[in-house]
Amino acid sequence: MNRLDGKVAFISGAARGIGAATARLMVEAGAKVAIGDVLDERGRETAQTIAGASDAATYLHLDVTSEDEWTTAVAATVARFGGLDILVNNAGLFLGKGVEEASLDEWHRLCAVNLTGVFLGTKLALPALRERARQSPHGSAIVNLASVAGLVGSQLDPLYSLTKGGVTLFTKSTALEFARKGYRVRVNSIHPGVIQTDMGDQTFLSRARNLGTNDVDAARRLALSGHPIGRLGTPDDIARGIVFLASDDAAFMTGAGLVVDGGLTAQ
Ligand SMILES: NC(=O)c1ccc[n+]([C@@H]2O[C@H](COP(=O)([O-])OP(=O)(O)OC[C@H]3O[C@@H](n4cnc5c(N)ncnc54)[C@H](O)[C@@H]3O)[C@@H](O)[C@H]2O)c1
């Protein structure tokens, strides 16, 4: 199950967190992986650690808001690994402010990374994904990182929720468009609960602020109490779901959202 032998993946925002865990699990599953991020030093270290003595992972600088940088990164991935089967649109920002506190500049930044980044990645990786899909039994795959905040309202960040709701429906719309056009490129989204990453820490700070306290541990406990399964998520919990969606085991899935949230949105 969940093997990616012979496949090539590009993962945005994979210097750390969920993206880095996904890169590691994809290499363990037999894929070659290119990591794109703006954190160059961290990204290079992550790629080196994952690759070890092999050539299975590489780092490429990529700001997902730049069309030129996407074009360069996709071309470099194809030149290095011979094609592209999987795109994971993972790079994302969390703001953690209410509507009244957020500025227009902050909204534009959030929008540029969480929405424009996903649009550009999809558009500019599509030719390489289509090309590879012609030779592969089950085609190519895109996995978009949405969130539980793209399914239900967010207590903490209405603007983040606005962007992730967009990712949820862009996923379904592109799945339909590519199927209609016969491209053989599946598109699915994944919806994590609260995951222990730098972004997860940011949500605890924002939750503490909402409670009018500096007690981040109390905010963390409150977040945990919302997850019926009794713990917060780990990057590997989400990475396993992404590997599944990217693999041929999910060959009959497109336009779907995989919820990996410890029961948070089942309530
Ligand atoms: N952590 C959570 O609780 C959680 C929950 C739901 C969804 N998500 C989503 O999962 C994805 C990964 O989040 P994470 O928790 O690993 O966060 P993280 O902050 O640890 O990692 C995000 C990565 O994206 C990169 N990034 C930011 N802006 C970029 C840009 N312009 N170009 C390229 N890279 C950029 C960062 O440098 C970082 O490496 C995000 O899309 C996030 O919204 C996270």
Side-chain angles (χ1 to χ4, degrees):
M1 278 284 284
N2 299 345
R3 292 300 304 175
L4 298 175
D5 300 292
K7 298 206 185 264
V8 178
F10 187 91
I11 311 174
S12 71
R16 69 182 189 200
I18 292 168
T22 304
R24 178 172 47 76
L25 292 194
M26 283 192 167
V27 167
E28 285 173 17
K32 304 262 169 126
V33 176
I35 288 172
D37 208 297
V38 286
L39 301 176
D40 293 335
E41 201 175 321
R42 181 83 180 262
R44 269 191 285 273
E45 276 169 25
T46 300
Q48 271 162 18
T49 308
I50 290 169
S54 77
D55 70 341
T58 190
Y59 175 75
L60 300 164
H61 176 85
L62 170 71
D63 179 340
V64 293
T65 68
S66 161
E67 189 162 11
D68 288 349
E69 291 187 19
W70 267 113
T71 302
T72 307
V74 170
T77 305
V78 171
R80 167 94 187 235
F81 293 133
L84 185 65
D85 304 274
I86 297 162
L87 169 68
V88 184
N89 280 312
N90 167 77
L93 293 182
F94 177 82
L95 183 59
K97 291 186 178 175
V99 168
E100 290 163 300
E101 291 81 44
S103 71
L104 186 59
D105 281 350
E106 285 171 326
W107 161 246
H108 282 153
R109 183 73 198 140
L110 202 64
C111 212
V113 176
N114 293 6
L115 287 173
T116 306
V118 176
F119 158 56
L120 288 177
T122 302
K123 180 181 165 92
L124 296 165
L126 189 60
L129 292 168
R130 284 183 61 195
E131 177 64 32
R132 193 73 155 203
R134 290 197 191 98
Q135 313 138 32
S136 125
H138 296 290
S140 298
I142 298 176
V143 182
N144 294 325
L145 268 285
S147 170
V148 289
L151 295 173
V152 298
S154 164
Q155 304 252 6
L156 300 175
D157 194 333
L159 300 186
Y160 177 78
S161 191
L162 178 51
T163 64
K164 292 298 184 177
V167 172
T168 302
L169 286 185
F170 181 72
T171 300
K172 294 186 188 301
S173 305
T174 47
L176 294 176
E177 180 184 349
F178 300 162
R180 175 171 55 80
K181 292 177 171 171
Y183 287 175
R184 304 183 72 245
V185 178
R186 300 182 297 105
V187 194
N188 294 290
S189 55
I190 190 157
H191 303 262
V194 178
I195 310 304
Q196 298 172 84
T197 63
D198 291 68
M199 188 182 288
D201 288 345
Q202 260 184 289
T203 70
F204 305 139
L205 288 172
S206 148
R207 198 178 290 269
R209 220 175 24 243
N210 280 2
L211 295 168
T213 160
N214 290 324
D215 191 347
V216 177
D217 284 340
R220 194 174 185 285
R221 283 195 298 277
L222 188 62
L224 195 154
S225 71
H227 292 71
I229 210 161
R231 66 174 177 85
L232 296 171
T234 65
D236 278 21
D237 286 326
I238 306 307
R240 285 189 202 100
I242 297 171
V243 170
F244 165 66
L245 289 174
S247 77
D248 289 347
D249 292 306
F252 196 53
M253 288 181 73
T254 196
L258 183 63
V259 179
V260 186
D261 71 349
L264 182 64
T265 55
Q267 303 168 90

